[in-house]
Amino acid sequence: MAKWLNTIVALLILNIFSSNIIIIFAQTATSLSNNLEPEPSLPEPRAYIPNENNLDFVYHSHEELTKFLRATSARYPNLTALYSIGKSIQGKDLWVMVVSSSPYEHMLGKPDVKYVGNIHGNEPVGRELLLHLIQYLVTSYETDQYVHWLLDNMRIHILPSMNPDGFAVAKEGACEGGQGRYNARGFDLNRNFPDYFKQNNKRGQPETDSVKDWISKIQFVLSGSLHGGALVASYPYDNTPNARRLKGICRSSALCAMFQTYAASPSLTPDDDVFKHLSLVYAKNHAKMSRGVACKSATPAFENGITNGAAWYPLTGGMQDYQYVWYGCMEVTLEISCCKYPPAYELRKYWEDNQLSLIKFLAEAHRGVQGFVLDSSGTPIERASLKVKGRDVGFQTTKYGEFWRILLPGYYKLEIFAEGFAPREIEFVVVEQHPTLLNVTLQPAKRTDSAIIHHYRPLPGSPQHYRPPHPPPPSYNSNSGLFSSITNSLNSIYSNIFG
């Protein structure tokens, strides 16, 4: 009898909990007045439940993922384009699906944005949500005005799985641990990119090399990287030049080497206001994230559901820092599940929690300033260097002379440089409702002593800004010895627990 009573009570509690989730989601979906709207007259994106005959809420193998992407591309040839940016260690294609009303050609003056999932193979919720996002977009284009507007005004590139080899050996239901986290050679792909603050000596992997080549060819304006193991939107910088030393504990340089990672403090970019805003857009449109509730008692709670990456825990070689510093792309890391690899029956809940956030985040690419850089004859100037004064991380024009920069409302000054042209400074204003359109004409530089005056232009492959001086490194060698081994082990344990 006692067993039956316990079962009935458990079912009642589960029913109440499920109802609360639905109520919270509905309340979140209606409180959007503070977010950027593409057009004031557009209704909110409609609630969407995928057709389970086409795409179940299950984890799909690489073969099943490939089959779905190919079938979708064949079924919606006017809205999708499928391409591979390279292969994993084990020869699996790194598939990218473009979803847009112009999938095969860049739309002049309209930005390219992207989502990347499954960089850690044992964090596959994002992998599945991105497949559902693809289906959502293509099936809603004709019936949902908001989705129609997005696909007419940007190209959305979706890489569902950056680490298919790791996913293949990860275990469903494993909320913690490292099995499947790494690629087939045992490398953490989110520690494998060039780093702005510290030299990254880890050997480049095919997966990261493919992504680096990809983003060097397409001028992405905005990006989200989907992870698991926490519930928070984390923004750059992920690394820091000098992690704070523990007073009273850190009495020797060797001891500091072990503890400095865990005495983290914020490492803020010149665009900290923008990154906080982008993170809040995702968190506030999420069903739970902005409440800032810790996943469990031993893990941190995040105010408003956002955090600076280095303030959470510093890491070297992260993807979001690399894209921002080298290419000016605004990327936010989206930790979307407390459990790294939750059971498949929970995937529908994760879709419902994240659907609105995934859409609203992309629309932020149309906030700020955008335009063209041209010469006096109206010819586009490719790879002109631009910088918003006071924000030293720069960006460049495309081969069509286009540029975009996400900015919050305010007054700004844009600095433009191009080899063979006189530099310019232009003041402009950004408002809340619409992006500022700004076309810039550069004049040829005057000749002095029969030589053209050359202005600042970054070297290929170098960070796209003036690099400020860093503090001198500590006297200890953090790459060798016992304390290095302990520190590296702690880093690995922390990453495996928290993402």
Side-chain angles (χ1 to χ4, degrees):
M1 184 66 178
K3 289 184 177 179
W4 283 106
L5 286 174
N6 289 339
T7 303
I8 292 170
V9 170
L11 288 172
L12 286 172
I13 292 172
L14 179 61
N15 183 57
I16 292 169
F17 181 72
S18 301
S19 300
N20 287 338
I21 290 175
I22 294 170
I23 291 169
I24 291 167
F25 179 75
Q27 290 173 341
T28 305
T30 56
S31 58
L32 303 169
S33 57
N34 293 329
N35 293 323
L36 174 69
E37 300 298 338
E39 294 290 345
S41 60
L42 288 180
E44 290 297 315
R46 64 182 176 85
Y48 175 79
I49 299 176
N51 180 349
E52 293 187 8
N53 293 325
N54 294 331
L55 188 67
D56 289 342
F57 282 103
V58 297
Y59 292 105
H60 295 80
S61 68
H62 183 73
E63 292 72 22
E64 292 166 337
L65 178 148
T66 301
K67 182 179 178 181
F68 167 76
L69 293 175
R70 285 176 171 165
T72 302
S73 185
R75 187 174 181 181
Y76 299 94
N78 296 325
L79 291 176
T80 63
L82 181 63
Y83 64 98
S84 172
I85 61 171
K87 292 183 182 292
S88 68
I89 295 291
Q90 297 178 348
K92 298 182 180 74
D93 277 295
L94 304 178
W95 292 116
V96 174
M97 177 74 87
V98 181
V99 187
S100 172
S101 61
S102 178
Y104 289 95
E105 295 181 0
H106 172 71
M107 296 188 288
L108 197 63
K110 297 178 181 179
D112 286 88
V113 299
K114 66 181 172 68
Y115 277 127
V116 176
N118 206 199
I119 187 170
H120 292 140
N122 65 337
E123 299 172 14
V125 173
R127 169 192 177 106
E128 296 303 324
L129 295 195
L130 292 180
L131 295 182
H132 284 280
L133 178 63
I134 289 169
Q135 181 165 298
Y136 170 25
L137 294 173
V138 297
T139 59
S140 302
Y141 179 72
E142 298 296 342
T143 58
D144 189 313
Q145 294 181 49
Y146 199 101
V147 172
H148 197 286
W149 185 89
L150 281 181
L151 269 57
D152 280 353
N153 287 278
M154 63 173 59
R155 297 174 77 229
I156 304 168
H157 302 247
I158 298 175
L159 170 57
S161 181
M162 185 177 159
N163 188 1
D165 296 347
F167 171 76
V169 299
K171 299 297 183 183
E172 182 177 340
C175 290
E176 300 177 0
Q179 183 175 347
R181 176 184 179 88
Y182 310 101
N183 76 344
R185 289 179 181 159
F187 283 80
D188 187 327
L189 299 181
N190 202 38
R191 310 292 188 274
N192 197 239
F193 287 86
D195 195 272
Y196 169 48
F197 292 103
K198 300 171 184 175
Q199 184 175 357
N200 189 0
N201 295 320
K202 293 183 175 66
R203 181 160 54 100
Q205 297 301 294
E207 297 90 346
T208 47
D209 289 344
S210 295
V211 169
K212 287 188 288 184
D213 185 57
W214 181 37
I215 63 180
S216 72
K217 294 176 179 177
I218 300 175
Q219 186 89 330
F220 289 110
V221 177
L222 179 64
S223 176
S225 174
L226 278 64
H227 291 245
L231 198 61
V232 66
S234 174
Y235 55 89
Y237 291 119
D238 267 334
N239 209 352
T240 179
N242 54 339
R244 186 180 63 214
R245 297 175 176 236
L246 289 173
K247 294 181 179 179
I249 297 178
C250 195
R251 299 183 184 278
S252 69
S253 59
L255 196 60
C256 288
M258 182 172 69
F259 281 110
Q260 66 172 345
T261 299
Y262 309 99
S265 58
S267 181
L268 305 182
T269 71
D271 291 289
D272 187 61
D273 57 340
V274 175
F275 277 116
K276 284 179 179 175
H277 169 80
L278 292 173
S279 301
L280 283 170
V281 166
Y282 198 93
K284 288 185 176 180
N285 284 294
H286 189 278
K288 305 178 183 68
M289 190 179 289
S290 65
R291 299 195 327 228
V293 179
C295 285
K296 54 186 178 181
S297 59
T299 60
F302 302 99
E303 185 177 359
N304 296 317
I306 69 172
T307 185
N308 172 259
W312 184 10
Y313 65 97
L315 62 91
T316 298
M319 184 168 67
Q320 69 176 11
D321 283 12
Y322 172 72
Q323 294 193 84
Y324 173 61
V325 173
W326 266 260
Y327 294 99
C329 174
M330 304 284 192
E331 177 166 290
V332 175
T333 298
L334 306 167
E335 302 273 358
I336 58 174
S337 63
C338 288
C339 179
K340 288 177 178 290
Y341 198 155
Y345 65 79
E346 295 184 0
L347 285 173
R348 181 185 291 274
K349 176 191 69 175
Y350 286 112
W351 169 254
E352 292 169 351
D353 287 351
N354 287 275
Q355 174 193 342
L356 197 60
S357 294
L358 289 167
I359 296 300
K360 290 287 187 175
F361 182 81
L362 292 178
E364 292 298 308
H366 289 280
R367 176 186 292 278
V369 62
Q370 60 188 61
F372 295 82
V373 177
L374 312 167
D375 65 17
S376 55
S377 67
T379 302
I381 299 176
E382 181 181 1
R383 295 184 65 81
S385 298
L386 302 96
K387 183 168 71 74
V388 177
K389 195 163 188 177
R391 297 170 184 251
D392 285 339
V393 174
F395 48 104
Q396 293 188 325
T397 56
T398 68
K399 65 180 180 179
Y400 306 107
E402 307 154 291
F403 69 89
W404 299 265
R405 193 63 167 183
I406 302 173
L407 295 166
L408 301 186
Y411 293 86
Y412 300 93
K413 182 178 290 186
L414 185 67
E415 301 175 338
I416 309 101
F417 307 85
E419 187 173 353
F421 293 89
R424 283 195 66 181
E425 289 188 357
I426 297 179
E427 294 182 350
F428 63 97
V429 177
V430 171
V431 297
E432 176 70 25
Q433 292 79 13
H434 300 284
T436 298
L437 302 179
L438 189 66
N439 294 332
V440 181
T441 300
L442 296 184
Q443 300 297 330
K446 295 180 179 178
R447 293 178 177 270
T448 303
D449 298 329
S450 301
I452 296 178
I453 299 175
H454 291 281
H455 301 283
Y456 167 79
R457 187 179 185 185
L459 296 174
S462 65
Q464 303 299 305
H465 63 85
Y466 307 94
R467 185 166 184 161
H470 292 153
S475 58
Y476 60 80
N477 182 355
S478 62
N479 293 320
S480 63
L482 173 63
F483 286 102
S484 173
S485 300
I486 296 174
T487 303
N488 291 337
S489 297
L490 288 173
N491 267 313
S492 179
I493 292 169
Y494 200 90
S495 297
N496 287 339
I497 294 174
F498 299 122

